[in-house]
Amino acid sequence: MATIEKTQQDTSVLEAVDINNEIVLFNDDVNTFDHVIETLIAVCNHTAIQAEQCAILVHYKGKCTVKTGSFEELKPQCTQLLEAGLSAEIV
């Protein structure tokens, strides 16, 4: 007869502190697709395809999360998006 041994392991869970922030980009009637795409590439380091997909989602859904990270990391990027005339906020 075989003996089955069960062991319990203690695992620690690292809390993701301040990483769950997002830059949300909102639709507007002012900016062109090209401007939005070029700005996302320049500010958020998106690829052309990624920026285009975000622009399409913003257009059809009204908003899209374009970047996630810590508040300190996202603040300057959100400011640059706003300065470029886009509607964005950190949530």
Side-chain angles (χ1 to χ4, degrees):
M1 180 188 245
T3 303
I4 299 175
E5 184 177 322
K6 292 184 179 182
T7 59
Q8 182 176 4
Q9 293 180 328
D10 289 332
T11 57
S12 62
V13 177
L14 298 177
E15 279 190 47
V17 177
D18 211 21
I19 296 178
N20 296 330
N21 295 295
E22 313 176 327
I23 296 177
V24 178
L25 185 65
F26 296 96
N27 191 27
D28 61 41
D29 295 331
V30 179
N31 293 293
T32 65
F33 273 93
D34 286 340
H35 178 65
V36 173
I37 291 167
E38 290 168 6
T39 304
L40 289 174
I41 291 170
V43 174
C44 297
N45 299 317
H46 283 196
T47 64
I49 293 172
Q50 185 180 17
E52 182 180 358
Q53 289 172 343
C54 286
I56 291 169
L57 284 170
V58 167
H59 180 73
Y60 287 106
K61 298 289 186 179
K63 64 182 179 177
C64 176
T65 297
V66 295
K67 197 75 173 177
T68 59
S70 69
F71 183 83
E72 290 78 22
E73 177 184 73
L74 298 180
K75 179 102 173 98
Q77 290 176 325
C78 188
T79 301
Q80 288 177 329
L81 293 174
L82 294 171
E83 288 173 350
L86 303 182
S87 299
E89 72 177 3
I90 299 173
V91 295

